[in-house]
Amino acid sequence: MRKTLFIILIFITGLILSCGDLFLDPEPIGRINPDDPEFTGTITGRPEIKITGDFGEINNNDTITLFEDTEAYDTRFFVIHIQNISSDTVLSLTGDPRVVISGKDAEMFSIDQQPATSIAAGDVSGFTVYFTPESEGVKTAVLTIACNDDDESSFVINISATAVFNPLGTALADDFADAGGGLVEIITDSYLAPRETTAAAILIDGAVSVKAGVTLTIYSGVTLDMGNYSIIVDGSFYVEGSDDNRVKFSGSNWGGITINGNADINGAVIQDYNSEAGFGIRVSGSDVTVTNCRFVQQGTSNGIQIVTSGPGAGFGFCFQNNIFIDINDGGGNQPCIEFQSSISNDIRVCIWNNTFVGKSNNGTAIDISESNNSVYDIYYNIFANATSSNTYNPVIQIDSLTPKVYAELNVYDDDALFWAGYAPVKNYNLQLAGWDSNTVFNDLSSDDYRMKQTTTYPDLLQANYIEELEGCLTNGHANEAGAYGNGGYPPDYNE
């Protein structure tokens, strides 16, 4: 009897398994639950958004924790992908901007290039979120992506990140340079503390010297009134200005910053320096990077002057996302960046995404006088005039045949000669016919040198079929030439 029951049970079980359609629900066709994280197929008849990041799939209203050890004033980034898993319907991102950043610490997060407005069926569009904390502690923000997905028309991602602040060395008091006109020696690793809001300027009463083997760091929000003194760096010099809180150097004809060691200067405003000294920054060391800064040149002064023998291999010098306002009303016509003949070794230089604005006279923006086998990469810069008669002419002066100058994808005035002396190895640049600074720049009357946002200028024909420059004035400045391109945030002239 037991054997008979066992056989019957096996028969019934087999019948259920082999005829599942009779006893069980059929296998679903299409996407019944679009929020099911196990679903890997596509749907038809409507768009469907799917979000993934460096850390896997993200569901609507998820909270993601990132970067628990980001050093304050440093920058970390992560990539997010928006996928349309529909098989036949376009996904439209309808927000303005397409990804909106909000929340308590929104200003510490940024997006360098917004995703596409329309994402075809099966396609993906991504964007990068940058995190630059300006103080220590947990920072939160919210990303909102509005779209035409029926059930996720507002896709929300909550972000949490933690910043730490571990400054190198000892904090300097605000009266550290009260030397009565004497020498102020920095002999141990030191820093000037960050200011969350603009504070009174620190008065410098003596030449500041950073000794060899010593690091001086100046954090965001610090303003230095240099008087008529200078900074000489034989060690290391770091400036950590931020997008909305600069480090500012000014004075009454002060002597500029001389780098005999190494430096990384970011987010600084450098102005009112002595025309007799001839420079805002003078480089006679190696491994110097200057980013997101503003130089205001007057009289007969350079913005940056390089006289070093150089580090030899690698990108020893990088100047990116800076604005050079070349007033030079003294008639000196000094270059914004000058590489002098005293350079004795081969160097490697990048000059990317800078805006050079000539406000008077017809000087040269970049002057290369050295005669070694150095390599210069000059890309995505704007060489502009601020009035109808004041242009850089030539834009680049090359005084020797031996340096390899790769000058490509730059934008310059049609009244200017791009180079003089020896031609660059490549000269694949956009000379804008009928240049009108008030058309190209956002608001020249208020010294706002951000490029205008437009969807039509220049198009591929106007860009002389240089595809990389087509639409370089599009919404968000994501791919524009000049100082604000490539994620730059240089200060406005009238800041």
Side-chain angles (χ1 to χ4, degrees):
M1 183 65 179
R2 291 179 179 177
K3 183 176 182 181
T4 300
L5 291 173
F6 181 70
I7 292 173
I8 293 172
L9 181 61
I10 292 176
F11 172 77
I12 293 172
T13 302
L15 182 63
I16 292 172
L17 293 174
S18 62
C19 303
D21 288 348
L22 298 176
F23 296 92
L24 303 174
D25 290 334
E27 184 71 20
I29 299 173
R31 188 171 188 187
I32 303 301
N33 178 13
D35 297 320
D36 179 3
E38 296 181 359
F39 178 77
T40 58
T42 60
I43 66 169
T44 60
R46 62 185 179 88
E48 182 60 43
I49 189 171
K50 179 180 180 180
I51 305 289
T52 58
D54 295 338
F55 27 74
E57 184 170 355
I58 306 169
N59 295 314
N60 197 4
N61 293 306
D62 273 358
T63 297
I64 56 177
T65 301
L66 308 166
F67 312 138
E68 296 183 318
D69 58 351
T70 301
E71 185 72 30
Y73 308 101
D74 283 351
T75 297
R76 303 278 293 275
F77 67 89
F78 59 96
V79 178
I80 291 179
H81 300 283
I82 303 174
Q83 182 179 3
N84 179 13
I85 60 175
S86 171
S87 63
D88 61 356
T89 308
V90 171
L91 175 69
S92 298
L93 305 186
T94 57
D96 184 17
R98 293 179 284 282
V99 180
V100 176
I101 304 177
S102 61
K104 182 171 70 71
D105 303 303
E107 72 280 358
M108 300 186 191
F109 297 84
S110 62
I111 296 172
D112 69 332
Q113 183 168 345
Q114 291 281 336
T117 303
S118 299
I119 304 175
D123 281 356
V124 177
S125 183
F127 61 96
T128 302
V129 178
Y130 291 86
F131 174 49
T132 307
E134 298 178 7
S135 60
E136 58 187 324
V138 177
K139 310 299 177 185
T140 60
V142 179
L143 304 181
T144 302
I145 305 169
C147 65
N148 65 336
D149 184 309
D150 290 344
D151 56 357
E152 294 174 298
S153 60
S154 182
F155 200 104
V156 174
I157 305 171
N158 302 290
I159 300 174
S160 176
T162 303
V164 297
F165 182 47
N166 297 307
L168 180 65
T170 304
L172 293 172
D174 284 359
D175 61 353
F176 81 100
D178 185 9
L183 181 65
V184 181
E185 292 188 309
I186 309 297
I187 59 175
T188 61
D189 292 341
S190 304
Y191 69 92
L192 286 168
R195 271 69 167 171
E196 293 187 3
T197 58
T198 302
I202 297 173
L203 300 179
I204 305 299
D205 189 15
V208 178
S209 171
V210 182
K211 308 304 288 185
V214 173
T215 296
L216 173 61
T217 305
I218 303 179
Y219 287 102
S220 68
V222 172
T223 296
L224 299 178
D225 182 345
M226 296 298 304
N228 59 357
Y229 298 101
S230 61
I231 299 175
I232 300 174
V233 179
D234 294 317
S236 299
F237 186 55
Y238 300 109
V239 174
E240 299 285 351
S242 64
D243 187 1
D244 58 355
N245 210 9
R246 310 290 171 173
V247 172
K248 299 180 181 179
F249 301 86
S250 62
S252 55
N253 280 342
W254 65 290
I257 303 169
T258 296
I259 309 296
N260 299 320
N262 61 83
D264 189 340
I265 300 173
N266 180 73
V269 177
I270 300 173
Q271 59 190 18
D272 302 326
Y273 44 88
N274 192 338
S275 61
E276 294 301 321
F279 55 84
I281 295 178
R282 179 184 176 94
V283 178
S284 60
S286 62
D287 295 324
V288 174
T289 298
V290 181
T291 53
N292 295 307
C293 293
R294 184 190 77 209
F295 294 80
V296 182
Q297 298 174 233
Q298 296 183 356
T300 57
S301 60
N302 296 134
I304 300 175
Q305 185 182 90
I306 297 90
V307 299
T308 182
S309 59
F315 282 93
F317 307 111
C318 185
F319 310 119
Q320 186 171 6
N321 294 114
N322 304 292
I323 291 180
F324 296 85
I325 309 300
D326 191 1
I327 297 174
N328 274 330
D329 47 10
N333 297 333
Q334 297 299 101
C336 297
I337 305 178
E338 180 183 21
F339 298 87
Q340 294 193 343
S341 59
S342 57
I343 297 174
S344 58
N345 292 336
D346 296 342
I347 61 176
R348 187 70 185 266
V349 180
C350 68
I351 303 175
W352 298 337
N353 286 101
N354 301 281
T355 296
F356 301 84
V357 180
K359 296 197 73 174
S360 62
N361 300 304
N362 296 322
T364 298
I366 300 172
D367 189 345
I368 301 172
S369 298
E370 60 112 346
S371 57
N372 302 295
N373 293 309
S374 301
V375 177
Y376 294 81
D377 289 335
I378 304 175
Y379 291 94
Y380 288 107
N381 302 283
I382 297 174
F383 301 94
N385 59 311
T387 66
S388 60
S389 60
N390 297 308
T391 66
Y392 289 112
N393 199 358
V395 167
I396 302 174
Q397 173 76 39
I398 306 171
D399 295 329
S400 173
L401 181 63
T402 53
K404 296 177 176 61
V405 181
Y406 298 88
E408 300 184 62
L409 304 175
N410 302 284
V411 178
Y412 67 106
D413 185 355
D414 65 340
D415 291 330
L417 176 68
F418 189 75
W419 56 268
Y422 297 91
V425 174
K426 296 181 180 180
N427 186 7
Y428 185 53
N429 303 283
L430 172 60
Q431 187 174 25
L432 283 178
W435 174 287
D436 180 351
S437 294
N438 288 304
T439 299
V440 175
F441 290 119
N442 205 40
D443 186 1
L444 192 63
S445 63
S446 64
D447 296 308
D448 183 350
Y449 300 106
R450 183 183 291 271
M451 296 177 79
K452 279 186 181 296
Q453 298 183 25
T454 172
T455 58
T456 60
Y457 178 78
D459 59 22
L460 189 57
L461 177 61
Q462 290 170 312
N464 297 330
Y465 296 97
I466 304 174
E467 293 183 5
E468 293 87 343
L469 286 175
E470 181 184 11
C472 67
L473 311 181
T474 54
N475 182 52
H477 311 285
N479 62 332
E480 73 174 31
Y484 292 92
N486 194 30
Y489 57 82
D492 294 332
Y493 175 72
N494 56 354
E495 184 180 57

